[in-house]
Coordinates of all heavy atoms in Angstrom, one line a residue:
D1 N -23.6 25.6 -55.1 CA -22.9 24.6 -54.4 C -23.8 24.1 -53.2 O -24.3 24.9 -52.5 CB -21.6 25.2 -53.9 CG -20.6 24.2 -53.4 OD1 -20.6 23.1 -53.8 OD2 -19.8 24.6 -52.5
A2 N -24.0 22.8 -53.1 CA -24.9 22.3 -52.1 C -24.4 20.9 -51.6 O -23.9 20.1 -52.4 CB -26.3 22.2 -52.6
V3 N -24.8 20.6 -50.4 CA -24.6 19.2 -49.8 C -26.0 18.9 -49.3 O -26.6 19.7 -48.5 CB -23.5 19.2 -48.8 CG1 -23.6 17.8 -48.1 CG2 -22.2 19.5 -49.3
T4 N -26.5 17.7 -49.6 CA -27.7 17.2 -49.0 C -27.6 15.9 -48.3 O -26.7 15.1 -48.6 CB -28.8 17.0 -50.1 OG1 -28.4 16.0 -51.0 CG2 -29.1 18.4 -50.9
N5 N -28.5 15.7 -47.4 CA -28.5 14.4 -46.6 C -30.0 14.1 -46.5 O -30.7 14.9 -45.8 CB -27.9 14.6 -45.3 CG -28.0 13.3 -44.4 OD1 -29.1 13.0 -44.0 ND2 -26.9 12.6 -44.2
A6 N -30.5 13.0 -47.1 CA -31.9 12.7 -47.1 C -32.2 11.5 -46.1 O -31.6 10.5 -46.3 CB -32.4 12.4 -48.5
V7 N -33.0 11.8 -45.2 CA -33.5 10.8 -44.2 C -32.5 9.9 -43.6 O -32.8 8.7 -43.4 CB -34.8 10.0 -44.8 CG1 -35.9 11.0 -45.1 CG2 -34.4 9.2 -46.0
S8 N -31.3 10.4 -43.2 CA -30.4 9.6 -42.5 C -29.6 10.3 -41.4 O -28.8 9.7 -40.7 CB -29.4 8.9 -43.5 OG -28.7 9.9 -44.2
I9 N -29.9 11.6 -41.2 CA -29.2 12.4 -40.2 C -29.4 11.8 -38.8 O -28.5 11.8 -37.9 CB -29.6 13.9 -40.2 CG1 -28.7 14.7 -39.3 CG2 -31.0 14.1 -39.8 CD1 -27.3 14.9 -39.9
D10 N -30.5 11.1 -38.6 CA -30.9 10.5 -37.3 C -30.0 9.3 -37.0 O -30.1 8.8 -35.9 CB -32.3 10.2 -37.2 CG -32.9 9.6 -38.4 OD1 -32.4 9.8 -39.5 OD2 -34.0 8.9 -38.3
Y11 N -29.3 8.8 -37.9 CA -28.5 7.6 -37.7 C -27.0 7.9 -37.5 O -26.2 7.0 -37.2 CB -28.6 6.7 -38.9 CG -30.0 6.2 -39.2 CD1 -30.8 6.8 -40.2 CD2 -30.5 5.2 -38.4 CE1 -32.1 6.4 -40.4 CE2 -31.8 4.7 -38.6 CZ -32.6 5.4 -39.6 OH -33.9 4.9 -39.8
L12 N -26.6 9.2 -37.6 CA -25.2 9.5 -37.5 C -24.7 9.6 -36.1 O -25.3 10.4 -35.3 CB -24.9 10.9 -38.2 CG -25.2 10.9 -39.7 CD1 -25.0 12.3 -40.2 CD2 -24.4 9.9 -40.5
C13 N -23.7 8.8 -35.8 CA -23.1 8.8 -34.4 C -22.2 10.0 -34.1 O -22.0 10.4 -33.0 CB -22.4 7.5 -34.2 SG -23.4 6.1 -34.2
K14 N -21.7 10.6 -35.2 CA -20.7 11.7 -35.1 C -21.2 12.8 -36.0 O -20.4 13.2 -36.9 CB -19.3 11.2 -35.3 CG -18.8 10.2 -34.3 CD -17.4 9.8 -34.6 CE -17.0 8.7 -33.6 NZ -15.6 8.3 -33.8
P15 N -22.3 13.4 -35.8 CA -22.8 14.4 -36.7 C -22.0 15.6 -36.8 O -21.9 16.3 -37.9 CB -24.2 14.7 -36.2 CG -24.2 14.4 -34.7 CD -23.3 13.2 -34.7
Q16 N -21.3 16.0 -35.7 CA -20.5 17.2 -35.8 C -19.3 17.0 -36.7 O -18.8 17.9 -37.4 CB -20.0 17.6 -34.4 CG -21.1 18.3 -33.6 CD -21.9 19.4 -34.3 OE1 -23.1 19.3 -34.3 NE2 -21.2 20.4 -34.8
E17 N -18.7 15.8 -36.8 CA -17.7 15.5 -37.7 C -18.2 15.6 -39.2 O -17.4 16.1 -40.0 CB -17.1 14.1 -37.4 CG -16.3 14.1 -36.2 CD -15.7 12.7 -35.9 OE1 -15.5 11.9 -36.9 OE2 -15.3 12.5 -34.7
I18 N -19.4 15.2 -39.4 CA -20.0 15.3 -40.7 C -20.2 16.8 -41.1 O -19.8 17.2 -42.2 CB -21.3 14.6 -40.8 CG1 -21.1 13.1 -40.5 CG2 -22.0 14.8 -42.1 CD1 -20.2 12.3 -41.5
L19 N -20.7 17.6 -40.2 CA -20.9 19.0 -40.4 C -19.6 19.7 -40.7 O -19.5 20.6 -41.5 CB -21.7 19.7 -39.3 CG -23.2 19.9 -39.5 CD1 -23.5 21.0 -40.5 CD2 -23.9 18.7 -39.8
K20 N -18.6 19.3 -40.0 CA -17.2 19.9 -40.2 C -16.7 19.6 -41.6 O -16.2 20.5 -42.3 CB -16.3 19.4 -39.1 CG -14.9 20.1 -39.1 CD -14.1 19.6 -38.0 CE -12.8 20.3 -37.8 NZ -13.0 21.7 -37.3
E21 N -16.9 18.4 -42.0 CA -16.5 18.0 -43.4 C -17.4 18.7 -44.4 O -16.9 19.2 -45.5 CB -16.6 16.5 -43.6 CG -16.1 16.0 -44.9 CD -14.6 16.3 -45.2 OE1 -13.9 16.7 -44.3 OE2 -14.3 16.0 -46.4
V22 N -18.7 18.8 -44.2 CA -19.5 19.6 -45.1 C -19.0 21.0 -45.2 O -18.9 21.5 -46.3 CB -21.0 19.5 -44.6 CG1 -21.9 20.5 -45.4 CG2 -21.6 18.1 -44.8
A23 N -18.7 21.6 -44.1 CA -18.2 23.0 -44.1 C -16.9 23.1 -44.9 O -16.7 24.1 -45.6 CB -18.0 23.5 -42.7
R24 N -16.1 22.1 -44.8 CA -14.8 22.1 -45.5 C -15.0 22.1 -47.0 O -14.3 22.8 -47.7 CB -13.9 20.9 -45.1 CG -12.5 20.9 -45.6 CD -11.8 19.6 -45.3 NE -12.2 18.5 -46.1 CZ -12.0 18.3 -47.4 NH1 -11.2 19.1 -48.1 NH2 -12.5 17.2 -48.0
V25 N -15.9 21.2 -47.5 CA -16.1 21.1 -48.9 C -17.0 22.1 -49.6 O -16.9 22.3 -50.8 CB -16.5 19.7 -49.3 CG1 -15.5 18.6 -48.8 CG2 -17.9 19.4 -48.8
L26 N -17.8 22.8 -48.8 CA -18.7 23.8 -49.4 C -18.0 25.1 -49.7 O -17.1 25.5 -49.0 CB -19.9 24.1 -48.4 CG -21.1 23.3 -48.5 CD1 -22.1 23.8 -47.4 CD2 -21.8 23.3 -49.8
K27 N -18.4 25.7 -50.8 CA -17.9 27.0 -51.1 C -18.6 28.0 -50.2 O -19.7 27.7 -49.7 CB -18.2 27.4 -52.6 CG -17.5 26.5 -53.6 CD -18.0 26.9 -55.0 CE -17.3 26.0 -56.0 NZ -17.9 26.3 -57.4
P28 N -18.0 29.2 -49.9 CA -18.7 30.2 -49.1 C -20.1 30.5 -49.8 O -20.2 30.6 -51.0 CB -17.8 31.4 -49.2 CG -16.4 30.8 -49.4 CD -16.7 29.6 -50.3
G29 N -21.1 30.5 -49.0 CA -22.5 30.8 -49.4 C -23.2 29.5 -49.8 O -24.4 29.5 -50.1
G30 N -22.4 28.3 -49.8 CA -23.0 27.1 -50.2 C -24.1 26.6 -49.2 O -24.0 27.0 -48.0
L31 N -25.0 25.8 -49.6 CA -26.1 25.3 -48.8 C -25.9 23.9 -48.4 O -25.5 23.0 -49.2 CB -27.4 25.4 -49.7 CG -28.7 24.9 -49.0 CD1 -29.1 25.8 -47.9 CD2 -29.8 24.7 -50.1
A32 N -26.2 23.6 -47.1 CA -26.2 22.3 -46.6 C -27.6 22.1 -46.1 O -28.2 22.9 -45.3 CB -25.2 22.1 -45.4
A33 N -28.3 21.0 -46.5 CA -29.7 20.7 -46.2 C -29.8 19.2 -45.7 O -29.3 18.3 -46.4 CB -30.6 21.0 -47.3
F34 N -30.4 19.0 -44.6 CA -30.7 17.7 -44.0 C -32.2 17.5 -43.9 O -32.8 18.2 -43.1 CB -30.0 17.5 -42.7 CG -28.5 17.7 -42.8 CD1 -27.8 18.8 -42.3 CD2 -27.7 16.7 -43.5 CE1 -26.5 18.9 -42.4 CE2 -26.4 16.8 -43.6 CZ -25.7 17.9 -43.1
S35 N -32.7 16.5 -44.5 CA -34.2 16.3 -44.4 C -34.4 15.0 -43.6 O -33.5 14.1 -43.6 CB -34.8 16.1 -45.8 OG -34.3 15.0 -46.5
F36 N -35.5 14.9 -43.0 CA -35.9 13.7 -42.1 C -37.4 13.7 -41.9 O -38.1 14.7 -42.0 CB -35.1 13.7 -40.8 CG -35.2 15.0 -40.0 CD1 -36.2 15.1 -39.1 CD2 -34.4 16.1 -40.2 CE1 -36.4 16.3 -38.3 CE2 -34.5 17.2 -39.5 CZ -35.5 17.3 -38.6
S37 N -37.8 12.6 -41.5 CA -39.2 12.4 -41.1 C -39.2 11.7 -39.7 O -38.2 11.6 -39.1 CB -40.0 11.5 -42.1 OG -39.5 10.1 -42.0
N38 N -40.4 11.3 -39.3 CA -40.5 10.6 -38.0 C -40.4 9.1 -38.2 O -40.6 8.4 -37.2 CB -41.7 11.0 -37.2 CG -43.0 10.6 -37.8 OD1 -43.0 10.1 -38.9 ND2 -44.1 10.9 -37.1
R39 N -40.2 8.7 -39.4 CA -40.0 7.2 -39.7 C -38.6 6.9 -39.5 O -37.7 7.6 -40.0 CB -40.6 6.9 -41.0 CG -42.0 7.1 -41.1 CD -42.6 6.4 -42.3 NE -44.1 6.5 -42.2 CZ -44.9 5.5 -42.4 NH1 -44.4 4.3 -42.6 NH2 -46.2 5.7 -42.3
C40 N -38.3 5.7 -38.9 CA -36.9 5.3 -38.7 C -36.9 3.9 -38.3 O -37.9 3.2 -38.0 CB -36.3 6.2 -37.6 SG -36.9 6.0 -35.9
F41 N -35.7 3.4 -38.2 CA -35.4 2.0 -37.6 C -35.1 2.3 -36.1 O -33.9 2.7 -35.9 CB -34.3 1.3 -38.3 CG -34.6 1.0 -39.8 CD1 -34.1 1.8 -40.8 CD2 -35.5 -0.1 -40.1 CE1 -34.4 1.5 -42.1 CE2 -35.8 -0.4 -41.4 CZ -35.2 0.4 -42.4
P42 N -36.0 2.1 -35.2 CA -35.8 2.5 -33.8 C -34.5 1.9 -33.2 O -33.9 2.5 -32.3 CB -37.0 2.0 -33.1 CG -38.1 1.9 -34.1 CD -37.3 1.5 -35.4
T43 N -34.1 0.7 -33.6 CA -32.9 0.2 -33.0 C -31.6 0.7 -33.6 O -30.5 0.4 -33.1 CB -32.9 -1.4 -33.2 OG1 -32.9 -1.7 -34.6 CG2 -34.0 -2.0 -32.5
K44 N -31.7 1.6 -34.7 CA -30.5 2.1 -35.3 C -30.3 3.6 -35.2 O -29.2 4.0 -35.4 CB -30.5 1.7 -36.8 CG -30.5 0.2 -37.0 CD -30.4 -0.2 -38.4 CE -30.4 -1.7 -38.5 NZ -29.9 -2.2 -39.8
V45 N -31.3 4.3 -34.8 CA -31.1 5.8 -34.7 C -30.4 6.1 -33.4 O -30.3 5.3 -32.5 CB -32.5 6.5 -34.7 CG1 -33.2 6.4 -36.0 CG2 -33.4 6.0 -33.6
I46 N -29.9 7.3 -33.3 CA -29.2 7.7 -32.1 C -30.3 7.7 -30.9 O -31.5 7.9 -31.2 CB -28.6 9.1 -32.2 CG1 -29.6 10.2 -32.6 CG2 -27.4 9.1 -33.2 CD1 -29.2 11.6 -32.5
G47 N -29.8 7.4 -29.7 CA -30.7 7.2 -28.6 C -31.7 8.2 -28.3 O -32.9 8.0 -28.1
I48 N -31.3 9.5 -28.4 CA -32.2 10.6 -28.1 C -33.4 10.7 -29.1 O -34.4 11.2 -28.8 CB -31.4 11.9 -28.0 CG1 -32.3 13.0 -27.3 CG2 -30.9 12.4 -29.3 CD1 -31.5 14.2 -26.9
W49 N -33.2 10.2 -30.3 CA -34.2 10.3 -31.3 C -35.5 9.6 -30.9 O -36.6 10.2 -31.1 CB -33.7 9.8 -32.7 CG -34.4 10.4 -33.9 CD1 -35.4 9.8 -34.6 CD2 -34.0 11.6 -34.5 NE1 -35.7 10.7 -35.6 CE2 -34.9 11.7 -35.6 CE3 -33.0 12.5 -34.3 CZ2 -34.8 12.8 -36.5 CZ3 -33.0 13.6 -35.1 CH2 -33.8 13.7 -36.2
N50 N -35.4 8.5 -30.3 CA -36.6 7.7 -29.9 C -37.3 8.3 -28.7 O -38.4 8.0 -28.4 CB -36.2 6.3 -29.6 CG -35.9 5.5 -30.8 OD1 -36.5 5.7 -31.8 ND2 -34.9 4.6 -30.7
Q51 N -36.6 9.2 -28.0 CA -37.1 9.8 -26.8 C -37.7 11.2 -27.0 O -38.1 11.9 -26.0 CB -36.0 9.9 -25.7 CG -35.4 8.5 -25.4 CD -34.1 8.6 -24.6 OE1 -33.8 9.7 -24.1 NE2 -33.4 7.5 -24.6
T52 N -37.7 11.7 -28.2 CA -38.1 13.0 -28.5 C -39.1 13.1 -29.7 O -39.4 12.1 -30.3 CB -36.9 13.9 -28.9 OG1 -36.1 13.2 -30.0 CG2 -35.9 14.1 -27.8
N53 N -39.7 14.3 -29.9 CA -40.8 14.4 -30.9 C -40.3 15.2 -32.1 O -39.1 15.5 -32.1 CB -42.0 15.1 -30.3 CG -41.7 16.5 -29.7 OD1 -40.8 17.2 -30.2 ND2 -42.4 16.9 -28.7
D54 N -41.1 15.5 -33.0 CA -40.7 16.1 -34.3 C -40.1 17.5 -34.0 O -39.0 17.8 -34.7 CB -41.9 16.3 -35.2 CG -42.5 15.0 -35.7 OD1 -41.7 14.0 -35.8 OD2 -43.7 14.9 -36.1
S55 N -40.6 18.3 -33.2 CA -40.0 19.6 -33.0 C -38.7 19.5 -32.3 O -37.7 20.3 -32.6 CB -40.9 20.5 -32.2 OG -41.3 20.0 -30.9
D56 N -38.5 18.5 -31.4 CA -37.2 18.2 -30.8 C -36.2 17.8 -31.9 O -35.0 18.2 -31.8 CB -37.3 17.1 -29.7 CG -38.1 17.6 -28.5 OD1 -38.1 18.8 -28.2 OD2 -38.7 16.7 -27.9
H57 N -36.7 17.0 -32.8 CA -35.8 16.5 -33.9 C -35.2 17.7 -34.7 O -34.1 17.7 -35.0 CB -36.5 15.5 -34.8 CG -36.9 14.3 -34.1 ND1 -37.9 13.5 -34.7 CD2 -36.5 13.7 -33.0 CE1 -38.1 12.5 -33.9 NE2 -37.3 12.6 -32.8
V58 N -36.1 18.7 -35.0 CA -35.7 19.9 -35.7 C -34.6 20.6 -34.9 O -33.6 21.0 -35.4 CB -36.9 20.8 -36.0 CG1 -36.4 22.2 -36.5 CG2 -37.8 20.1 -37.0
A59 N -34.8 20.7 -33.6 CA -33.9 21.4 -32.7 C -32.5 20.6 -32.6 O -31.5 21.2 -32.6 CB -34.5 21.5 -31.3
I60 N -32.6 19.3 -32.6 CA -31.4 18.5 -32.5 C -30.6 18.7 -33.8 O -29.4 19.0 -33.7 CB -31.7 17.0 -32.4 CG1 -32.3 16.7 -31.0 CG2 -30.5 16.1 -32.6 CD1 -33.0 15.3 -30.8
V61 N -31.2 18.6 -34.9 CA -30.5 18.8 -36.2 C -30.0 20.3 -36.3 O -28.9 20.5 -36.8 CB -31.3 18.4 -37.4 CG1 -30.6 18.6 -38.7 CG2 -31.7 16.9 -37.3
G62 N -30.8 21.2 -35.9 CA -30.4 22.6 -35.9 C -29.2 22.9 -35.0 O -28.4 23.7 -35.4
S63 N -29.1 22.1 -33.9 CA -27.9 22.3 -33.1 C -26.6 21.9 -33.8 O -25.6 22.4 -33.5 CB -28.1 21.6 -31.7 OG -27.9 20.2 -31.9
Y64 N -26.7 20.9 -34.7 CA -25.5 20.5 -35.4 C -25.0 21.7 -36.2 O -23.8 21.9 -36.3 CB -25.8 19.3 -36.3 CG -26.4 18.1 -35.7 CD1 -27.1 17.2 -36.4 CD2 -26.2 17.8 -34.3 CE1 -27.6 16.0 -35.9 CE2 -26.6 16.7 -33.8 CZ -27.4 15.8 -34.5 OH -27.8 14.6 -34.0
F65 N -25.9 22.5 -36.8 CA -25.4 23.7 -37.6 C -25.0 24.7 -36.6 O -24.0 25.4 -36.8 CB -26.6 24.2 -38.4 CG -26.9 23.4 -39.7 CD1 -27.8 22.4 -39.7 CD2 -26.2 23.7 -40.8 CE1 -28.1 21.7 -40.8 CE2 -26.4 23.0 -42.0 CZ -27.3 22.0 -42.0
Y66 N -25.7 24.9 -35.5 CA -25.4 26.0 -34.6 C -24.0 25.8 -34.0 O -23.3 26.8 -33.9 CB -26.4 25.9 -33.4 CG -26.2 27.0 -32.4 CD1 -26.6 28.3 -32.6 CD2 -25.5 26.7 -31.2 CE1 -26.4 29.3 -31.6 CE2 -25.3 27.6 -30.2 CZ -25.7 28.9 -30.4 OH -25.5 29.9 -29.5
Y67 N -23.6 24.6 -33.7 CA -22.3 24.4 -33.1 C -21.1 24.2 -34.2 O -20.0 24.0 -33.8 CB -22.3 23.2 -32.2 CG -23.1 23.5 -30.9 CD1 -24.4 23.0 -30.7 CD2 -22.6 24.4 -30.0 CE1 -25.1 23.3 -29.6 CE2 -23.3 24.8 -28.9 CZ -24.6 24.2 -28.7 OH -25.3 24.6 -27.6
E68 N -21.4 24.4 -35.4 CA -20.4 24.4 -36.5 C -20.2 25.8 -36.9 O -21.0 26.4 -37.5 CB -20.8 23.5 -37.7 CG -19.8 23.6 -38.8 CD -18.3 23.4 -38.4 OE1 -18.0 22.4 -37.7 OE2 -17.5 24.3 -38.7
P69 N -19.0 26.4 -36.5 CA -18.8 27.8 -36.7 C -18.9 28.3 -38.1 O -19.2 29.5 -38.4 CB -17.4 28.1 -36.1 CG -17.1 26.9 -35.3 CD -17.9 25.8 -35.8
A70 N -18.7 27.4 -39.1 CA -18.7 27.9 -40.5 C -20.1 28.3 -41.0 O -20.3 28.9 -42.0 CB -18.2 26.8 -41.4
F71 N -21.2 27.8 -40.2 CA -22.5 28.1 -40.7 C -23.2 29.2 -39.8 O -22.9 29.3 -38.6 CB -23.4 26.8 -40.5 CG -23.0 25.8 -41.5 CD1 -22.2 24.7 -41.2 CD2 -23.5 25.8 -42.8 CE1 -21.8 23.8 -42.1 CE2 -23.1 24.9 -43.7 CZ -22.3 23.8 -43.4
G72 N -24.0 30.0 -40.5 CA -24.8 30.9 -39.8 C -25.9 30.2 -39.1 O -25.9 28.9 -39.1
G73 N -26.9 30.9 -38.5 CA -28.0 30.2 -37.8 C -28.7 29.3 -38.7 O -29.0 29.6 -39.9
P74 N -29.2 28.1 -38.2 CA -29.9 27.2 -39.0 C -31.3 27.7 -39.3 O -31.9 28.4 -38.5 CB -29.9 25.9 -38.2 CG -29.8 26.4 -36.8 CD -28.9 27.6 -36.9
L75 N -31.9 27.2 -40.4 CA -33.3 27.4 -40.7 C -34.0 26.1 -40.8 O -33.3 25.1 -41.1 CB -33.4 28.2 -42.0 CG -32.8 29.6 -42.0 CD1 -32.8 30.2 -43.4 CD2 -33.5 30.5 -41.0
A76 N -35.3 26.1 -40.7 CA -36.0 24.8 -40.8 C -37.4 25.0 -41.4 O -38.0 26.1 -41.2 CB -36.2 24.2 -39.4
D77 N -37.8 24.1 -42.2 CA -39.1 24.1 -42.8 C -39.8 22.8 -42.7 O -39.2 21.7 -42.7 CB -39.0 24.4 -44.3 CG -38.6 25.9 -44.6 OD1 -39.1 26.8 -43.9 OD2 -37.8 26.1 -45.5
D78 N -41.1 22.8 -42.5 CA -42.0 21.6 -42.6 C -42.3 21.5 -44.0 O -43.0 22.3 -44.6 CB -43.2 21.9 -41.7 CG -44.2 20.6 -41.7 OD1 -44.1 19.8 -42.6 OD2 -45.0 20.6 -40.8
I79 N -41.8 20.4 -44.6 CA -42.1 20.2 -46.1 C -43.0 19.0 -46.3 O -43.0 18.3 -47.3 CB -40.8 20.0 -46.9 CG1 -39.9 18.8 -46.3 CG2 -40.0 21.3 -46.9 CD1 -38.7 18.4 -47.2
S80 N -43.8 18.7 -45.2 CA -44.8 17.6 -45.3 C -45.8 17.9 -46.5 O -46.2 19.0 -46.7 CB -45.6 17.5 -44.0 OG -44.8 17.4 -42.9
P81 N -46.1 16.8 -47.2 CA -47.1 17.0 -48.3 C -48.4 17.6 -47.9 O -49.0 18.4 -48.6 CB -47.2 15.6 -49.0 CG -46.3 14.7 -48.3 CD -45.7 15.5 -47.1
N82 N -48.9 17.1 -46.8 CA -50.2 17.6 -46.2 C -50.0 17.7 -44.7 O -50.4 16.8 -44.0 CB -51.3 16.6 -46.5 CG -51.7 16.5 -48.0 OD1 -52.0 17.6 -48.6 ND2 -51.6 15.4 -48.6
P83 N -49.4 18.8 -44.2 CA -49.2 18.9 -42.8 C -50.4 18.6 -41.9 O -51.5 19.1 -42.2 CB -48.7 20.4 -42.7 CG -48.2 20.8 -44.0 CD -49.0 20.0 -45.0
G84 N -50.1 17.7 -41.0 CA -51.2 17.3 -40.1 C -52.0 16.2 -40.6 O -52.8 15.6 -39.8
R85 N -51.9 15.8 -41.9 CA -52.7 14.8 -42.4 C -51.8 13.7 -43.1 O -52.4 12.7 -43.6 CB -53.7 15.3 -43.4 CG -54.7 16.2 -42.8 CD -55.8 16.6 -43.8 NE -55.1 17.2 -45.0 CZ -55.3 18.4 -45.5 NH1 -56.1 19.2 -44.9 NH2 -54.7 18.7 -46.6
S86 N -50.5 13.9 -43.2 CA -49.6 13.0 -43.8 C -48.4 12.8 -42.9 O -48.3 13.5 -41.9 CB -49.2 13.5 -45.2 OG -48.4 14.6 -45.0
D87 N -47.6 11.8 -43.3 CA -46.3 11.7 -42.5 C -45.6 13.0 -42.6 O -45.5 13.6 -43.6 CB -45.5 10.6 -43.1 CG -46.1 9.2 -42.9 OD1 -46.9 9.0 -41.9 OD2 -45.7 8.3 -43.6
P88 N -45.0 13.4 -41.4 CA -44.3 14.7 -41.4 C -42.9 14.5 -42.1 O -42.3 13.5 -42.1 CB -44.1 15.0 -39.9 CG -44.2 13.6 -39.3 CD -45.1 12.8 -40.1
M89 N -42.5 15.6 -42.7 CA -41.2 15.7 -43.3 C -40.6 17.1 -43.1 O -41.3 18.1 -43.3 CB -41.3 15.4 -44.8 CG -40.0 15.3 -45.6 SD -39.2 13.8 -45.2 CE -37.8 13.9 -46.3
F90 N -39.4 17.1 -42.6 CA -38.8 18.4 -42.3 C -37.4 18.5 -43.0 O -36.8 17.5 -43.3 CB -38.5 18.5 -40.8 CG -39.8 18.3 -40.0 CD1 -40.2 17.0 -39.5 CD2 -40.6 19.4 -39.7 CE1 -41.3 16.8 -38.8 CE2 -41.8 19.2 -39.0 CZ -42.2 17.9 -38.6
V91 N -37.0 19.8 -43.2 CA -35.6 20.0 -43.6 C -35.0 21.1 -42.8 O -35.7 22.1 -42.4 CB -35.6 20.4 -45.1 CG1 -36.4 21.7 -45.4 CG2 -34.2 20.5 -45.7
V92 N -33.8 20.9 -42.3 CA -33.0 21.9 -41.6 C -31.9 22.2 -42.5 O -31.2 21.3 -43.0 CB -32.6 21.3 -40.2 CG1 -31.7 22.4 -39.5 CG2 -33.8 20.9 -39.4
Y93 N -31.6 23.5 -42.6 CA -30.5 23.9 -43.6 C -29.8 25.1 -43.1 O -30.3 25.9 -42.2 CB -31.1 24.1 -45.0 CG -32.3 25.1 -45.0 CD1 -32.1 26.4 -45.4 CD2 -33.6 24.7 -44.7 CE1 -33.1 27.3 -45.4 CE2 -34.6 25.6 -44.7 CZ -34.4 26.9 -45.1 OH -35.4 27.8 -45.1
G94 N -28.6 25.3 -43.7 CA -27.8 26.5 -43.4 C -26.9 26.8 -44.5 O -26.6 25.9 -45.4
R95 N -26.4 28.0 -44.5 CA -25.4 28.4 -45.6 C -24.1 28.6 -44.9 O -24.0 29.2 -43.8 CB -25.9 29.6 -46.3 CG -27.1 29.4 -47.1 CD -27.2 30.5 -48.2 NE -28.3 30.1 -49.1 CZ -28.2 29.4 -50.2 NH1 -27.0 28.9 -50.5 NH2 -29.2 29.1 -50.9
K96 N -23.1 28.2 -45.6 CA -21.7 28.4 -45.1 C -21.5 29.9 -45.2 O -21.8 30.6 -46.3 CB -20.7 27.7 -46.0 CG -19.3 27.9 -45.5 CD -18.3 27.0 -46.3 CE -16.9 27.3 -45.8 NZ -15.9 26.4 -46.6
E97 N -21.0 30.5 -44.2 CA -20.8 31.9 -44.2 C -19.7 32.3 -45.2 O -18.8 31.6 -45.5 CB -20.4 32.4 -42.8 CG -21.6 32.2 -41.8 CD -21.4 32.9 -40.5 OE1 -20.2 33.1 -40.1 OE2 -22.4 33.1 -39.8
V98 N -19.9 33.5 -45.7 CA -18.9 34.0 -46.8 C -17.7 34.7 -46.1 O -17.8 35.3 -45.1 CB -19.7 35.1 -47.6 CG1 -18.7 35.6 -48.7 CG2 -20.9 34.4 -48.3

C-alpha cells in the first residue's frame, strides 16, 4: 500500500491537510513518498521554497510527516542520478504506524 507525490509537494498550500488524507487512506505500515527537485515555477511554489535551499526543502517536507501523528519519523534520500553533477532529486517518505 503506497501513496506517491512526484515533483509537486512544493506547490501545495495546505500540505498538512494532504498528509492527513494520505494517513486516512493508507493501511497501517503503508508508505507515503514525496519526491522533488530544485526545479520549479517560482511564481507558483509556496513562498518559503524560493527562500531556501535543497537541505531546507528536505526539512520542510519532513516536517509535514513529523506533524502528522499517523506517521513515524520521516526519512529522506538523495536520489539524484549523479549527485553533485546533475540536477538534484530528493524523496522524503514515511510509513503509517501500525
Side-chain angles (χ1 to χ4, degrees):
D1 194 26
V3 172
T4 62
N5 176 291
V7 296
S8 62
I9 191 72
D10 44 333
Y11 300 99
L12 298 179
C13 296
K14 297 181 179 179
Q16 286 311 124
E17 290 181 18
I18 300 298
L19 260 289
K20 187 175 187 75
E21 182 64 8
V22 167
R24 186 187 72 77
V25 301
L26 271 179
K27 295 177 183 173
L31 177 71
F34 299 109
S35 65
F36 54 90
S37 71
N38 66 355
R39 296 199 174 227
C40 66
F41 295 102
T43 60
K44 296 185 179 199
V45 293
I46 57 171
I48 195 170
W49 206 264
N50 288 324
Q51 302 165 14
T52 52
N53 62 30
D54 292 336
S55 59
D56 293 329
H57 297 159
V58 170
I60 290 166
V61 177
S63 74
Y64 301 158
F65 283 94
Y66 180 81
Y67 289 109
E68 174 48 54
F71 290 97
L75 299 170
D77 288 321
D78 182 340
I79 57 171
S80 306
N82 293 303
R85 296 185 310 238
S86 66
D87 289 338
M89 186 73 175
F90 303 94
V91 62
V92 178
Y93 54 99
R95 290 203 175 270
K96 183 175 177 181
E97 294 188 338
V98 179

